Amino acid sequence: MAEIRSPSVRVLIVDDSPTDRVVFRRHLTRGAHREYHVDEAETAAEAAAQIAKELPDCVLVDFHLPETDGLSFVRQLVSVHGNHTFGIVMLTSAAEISVAVNALQNGAHDYLEKSSADGFALRRAVENAMEKATIQRQLESQRRALAEKNAQLEEHVTQLEREAAERLRAEEALRSSETQLRLVTDHASVLLAQVDREHRYKFVNRAYAERYGREVKDIIGRHATEIIGEKAYLTALPELAAAFEGQRVEFEKELPYEELGPRWIHVVYKPEFDADGQVVGVIAVLSDLTERKRAEQELKLARDQALAASGAKDEFLARLSHELRTPLNPVLLLASEAAANPDLPEDVRADFHTIRKNVDLEARLIDDLLDITRISRGKLSLELRRLDVHDVLRDAFTSVKGEADKKHLRLQLSLDGEGPYVLGDAVRLQQIFWNLLNNAVKFTPEGGRIGVSTQVNDGWVAVEVQDDGIGLSEEELASVFDAFAQGEHSWPNGSHRFGGLGLGLAISRMLVEMHSGEITASSPGRNAGALFRIRIPIQSDSCRPLPPPASNGAHPVAAPAALAATSHCPPLHILIVEDHEPTRAALTVLMTRRGHRITNVASIEEARHAAACHSFDLMISDIGLPDGSGYDLMEELHAQYGIRAIALTGYGMEQDISRSTSVGFLAHLTKPVRIQELEAVISRYAIPPSE
């Protein structure tokens, strides 16, 4: 098959993860010094069909594919298209180094760990794979040319044998063969040598001799140690001995040359047999890999540095989240208490309701900033189970009804059929629906209409949110799902009247794609309303529902109106461990007001002393404490006193919640929280004190 090469680099990404394909496409096309044309395939069959139509320059193959594994697909590509027709990079996880090795042995040219696949590493891997494929094609072409030339020489020798005496023919054939072989090998890009059983040189090409600053005639007949040095000779001796036993040997080693210094060499040893089948010599084909190895080491160093930077970024995000959330916590606790206090005048409660609402908004903005970062870096995981889309949609619909009523909006809900089930994360699906509904409420003027409907067709459920609000221009539609895009009202000289960061729709699109779905937006134009449509694949009735994930007490993504009603529980003796004095004071006042007996401390050492002196029904503990970690405190007090506890902290990343569960916290609440939310969790997990 003829090669098809385009001026730009054509890359085919074979990966069943839409998120990974999107991330790799961005890495390749953003910030590159050359043009990348990126095609995508979800399965091996789809990729094979695309390659049959047009050869790429490089193929990125994920090892985990739906119908087959990446290694089998690499073998298939080599079988159909031959070795080195295009570059092949195997994408693996850090734990799959053996897979990467097998892939390289079966035709791949490079491999890359997905966790470290930033733009630089990905483009470097593509360039390395294409370069190696090109070099190998050139070598194969040279080998074929050499084989053809040898065939011509053999035919020539045969003709001479017919025309002259046997001895003259043999001598002439030898001289002619050596001349022709010298002509070919002296122009080869590889280093060629031939040694006898005594390991003395019988032949070297010009490139081999020039490597050591010598003439060819000065090397022939000399022992290998005289040319490459004792250390390099002994390093390669085990493989050379295997070749003299009749084996074809291929290896890569760093050889400590005396004159050249340490060099990485790719070596092929091929035994030379006489007419009786005895090994009389070994032919060596050598290629210097030192520059490539240095590049690999630099790449590994860059990868390690990137991983370190990624870890530092995670730590920064966790600390940023903590520092932003913690000051909001006492405000939300006190505001949510006062807003629901019937003893206060209505106008005062309204003021506190405004404070509570704006703190909720601030917390959601923090969540959005962290979500967009985690999703784009592949750090956000979904807790998938079988869900009724209508149930999730009803909850989101209810959560915005209060705000819609304030603007006298007409809400219409039209659901198609009963229970269209999908495999999804309930919290994240509700976040998607809430984002669309909240935007519709925000951008629809008073007295307007918002319609929410579903349609079930061809294995998909479609959810549509339509309003008759301010609409979208063509320019806004082009970037409506981009992060930080807020429309013309936020442009220079715009009104900025709607606020926000412009992350909600970007997060929604990423979350929809993580559910194997799609989201689109349309609008007739300015002041003509907008329609947002989500499509998610339905899970068939034959699939068994997955069990619901264990509750981790994470700060709910659902809107505040969806919080469970406050539950009441008997008075408890509660130990509060919190180093933020305003939060500690607010918790003490509010919990005491509810009849609980409170002991509050600001450090681990004080908590140890309190636990040794008193028996507590429950502990509410921060994680970041001045003299240690709330995780360690929980493990210690639970082991010594069997204490039950709730984590209340500004650290809300997935790893923080997971660690809370692993050390025994009953729930993990991310600051800021409303007092009603805290009450509900206490009522759920607290064991009433014994009489």
Side-chain angles (χ1 to χ4, degrees), residues 334-342 344 348-350 352-354 356 676:
L334 295 172
S336 60
E337 162 81 357
N341 188 347
L344 294 176
V348 175
R349 282 188 284 123
F352 279 110
H353 175 77
T354 300
R356 189 219 69 195
Q676 294 85 356

Side-chain angles (χ1 to χ4, degrees), residues 572-576 584 587-593 595-601 616 618 620 682:
L572 304 173
H573 190 186
I574 299 176
L575 172 62
I576 295 176
R584 188 170 68 251
L587 284 172
T588 301
V589 169
L590 296 177
M591 291 292 99
T592 302
R593 189 175 295 168
H596 301 301
R597 186 156 57 98
I598 302 301
T599 299
N600 68 63
V601 297
F616 295 100
L618 188 70
I620 300 174
I682 291 174

Side-chain angles (χ1 to χ4, degrees), residues 23-94:
V23 171
F24 294 154
R25 174 183 288 273
R26 289 179 179 170
H27 283 336
L28 288 172
T29 57
R30 292 185 179 178
H33 295 294
R34 62 189 300 179
E35 182 181 359
Y36 283 83
H37 180 81
V38 181
D39 295 316
E40 299 179 10
E42 186 173 358
T43 65
E46 181 183 349
Q50 290 192 37
I51 294 173
K53 293 180 180 178
E54 183 174 10
L55 292 179
D57 296 296
C58 187
V59 180
L60 302 178
V61 181
D62 185 18
F63 178 70
H64 299 286
L65 296 174
E67 303 166 16
T68 182
D69 60 85
L71 185 57
S72 299
F73 184 50
V74 169
R75 295 194 190 102
Q76 177 186 340
L77 291 179
V78 172
S79 174
V80 174
H81 300 283
N83 281 310
H84 319 302
T85 302
F86 38 77
I88 301 175
V89 179
M90 176 63 71
L91 302 175
T92 68
S93 67

Side-chain angles (χ1 to χ4, degrees), residues 110-330:
D110 207 343
Y111 73 93
L112 187 64
E113 296 175 7
K114 294 181 77 172
S115 62
S116 62
D118 58 8
F120 174 80
L122 192 61
R123 291 193 295 273
R124 188 65 175 266
V126 169
E127 297 290 342
N128 285 347
M130 291 192 301
E131 180 182 5
K132 186 172 182 180
T134 300
I135 292 172
Q136 292 299 327
R137 286 197 303 273
Q138 292 173 350
L139 289 177
E140 289 175 359
S141 177
Q142 292 170 355
R143 292 190 188 104
R144 286 194 298 270
L146 181 60
E148 291 174 0
K149 180 61 70 175
N150 283 337
Q152 294 173 3
L153 292 175
E154 290 175 1
E155 182 179 356
H156 181 61
V157 169
T158 302
Q159 182 64 27
L160 290 177
E161 288 176 347
R162 292 172 184 165
E163 296 175 352
E166 182 175 349
R167 187 170 182 177
L168 279 178
R169 288 201 305 269
E171 292 177 355
E172 183 61 28
L174 178 60
R175 286 194 297 271
S176 177
S177 177
E178 287 182 348
T179 300
Q180 294 296 330
L181 184 60
R182 174 67 61 193
L183 178 63
V184 173
T185 58
D186 279 352
H187 292 84
S189 60
V190 294
L191 309 177
L192 300 174
Q194 183 181 25
V195 296
D196 61 19
R197 294 194 61 84
E198 301 300 324
H199 301 178
R200 296 184 177 276
Y201 290 100
K202 296 167 61 178
F203 170 86
V204 296
N205 68 346
R206 183 179 300 168
Y208 191 98
E210 290 177 349
R211 179 180 179 83
Y212 301 99
R214 302 172 187 265
E215 296 292 332
V216 171
K217 62 182 178 62
D218 296 330
I219 295 180
I220 303 302
R222 302 183 72 172
H223 194 272
T225 55
E226 299 179 65
I227 305 302
I228 68 174
E230 185 76 19
K231 291 182 179 179
Y233 170 75
L234 293 176
T235 302
L237 185 58
E239 289 78 12
L240 183 60
F244 273 106
E245 292 177 0
Q247 304 177 34
R248 181 187 182 278
V249 182
E250 183 172 1
F251 63 96
E252 291 182 3
K253 268 189 177 182
E254 187 177 35
L255 301 183
Y257 293 105
E258 290 184 1
E259 297 182 4
L260 304 176
R263 307 289 295 182
W264 273 95
I265 306 296
H266 175 270
V267 183
V268 177
Y269 286 149
K270 188 177 184 305
E272 177 190 6
F273 299 94
D274 62 12
D276 298 327
Q278 299 297 313
V279 178
V280 295
V282 167
I283 299 171
V285 181
L286 305 94
S287 301
D288 194 317
L289 304 179
T290 304
E291 295 306 317
R292 195 196 81 185
K293 289 292 186 179
R294 286 175 180 168
E296 289 176 354
Q297 291 172 354
E298 291 174 359
L299 182 60
K300 182 180 182 301
L301 177 61
R303 185 185 300 122
D304 292 342
Q305 291 174 342
L307 289 174
S310 176
K313 187 173 183 180
D314 286 342
E315 177 65 20
F316 170 75
L317 287 174
R319 291 185 178 276
L320 176 64
S321 171
H322 180 271
E323 295 304 316
L324 291 176
R325 294 177 188 275
T326 297
L328 298 177
N329 198 49

Side-chain angles (χ1 to χ4, degrees), residues 321-524:
S321 171
H322 180 271
E323 295 304 316
L324 291 176
R325 294 177 188 275
T326 297
L328 298 177
N329 198 49
V331 180
L332 185 55
L333 285 169
L334 295 172
S336 60
E337 162 81 357
N341 188 347
D343 296 332
L344 294 176
E346 184 176 350
D347 58 337
V348 175
R349 282 188 284 123
D351 290 341
F352 279 110
H353 175 77
T354 300
I355 296 172
R356 189 219 69 195
K357 177 182 175 182
N358 281 276
V359 174
D360 279 334
L361 176 60
E362 189 74 18
R364 179 165 291 279
L365 292 177
I366 296 170
D367 287 338
D368 284 350
L369 282 170
L370 295 177
D371 280 350
I372 197 76
T373 302
R374 286 180 288 189
I375 295 173
S376 63
R377 298 173 63 211
K379 296 278 188 171
L380 185 70
S381 59
L382 299 180
E383 295 181 347
L384 299 176
R385 60 189 179 98
R386 194 166 183 258
L387 300 171
D388 184 342
V389 171
H390 288 171
D391 287 345
V392 181
L393 189 56
R394 288 188 190 98
D395 288 343
F397 191 82
T398 301
S399 70
V400 300
K401 192 174 185 306
E403 294 299 319
D405 289 344
K406 292 179 182 178
K407 297 178 69 174
H408 307 291
L409 302 177
R410 289 166 292 151
L411 299 181
Q412 296 177 352
L413 182 62
S414 176
L415 305 180
D416 180 15
E418 292 294 331
Y421 284 91
V422 300
L423 190 63
D425 184 313
V427 171
R428 295 302 178 180
L429 280 179
Q430 185 166 344
Q431 181 179 4
I432 295 167
F433 297 150
W434 185 88
N435 276 337
L436 296 186
L437 289 167
N438 185 61
N439 278 355
V441 171
K442 181 192 297 185
F443 296 114
T444 301
E446 283 204 29
R449 186 190 69 84
I450 298 174
V452 181
S453 63
T454 62
Q455 299 91 38
V456 178
N457 190 26
D458 295 333
W460 293 77
V461 57
V463 179
E464 293 186 350
V465 178
Q466 186 170 19
D467 63 66
D468 56 5
I470 67 172
L472 295 161
S473 66
E474 290 186 7
E475 292 82 359
E476 289 173 324
L477 281 173
S479 60
V480 67
F481 294 111
D482 293 345
F484 305 107
Q486 295 181 280
E488 295 174 359
H489 65 85
S490 67
W491 294 358
N493 301 320
S495 65
H496 296 271
R497 66 186 186 276
F498 295 111
L501 295 176
L503 293 176
L505 289 179
I507 293 171
S508 295
R509 182 194 62 182
M510 293 177 179
L511 291 175
V512 168
E513 291 174 349
M514 290 177 71
H515 284 82
S516 302
E518 57 189 36
I519 182 171
T520 58
S522 60
S523 174

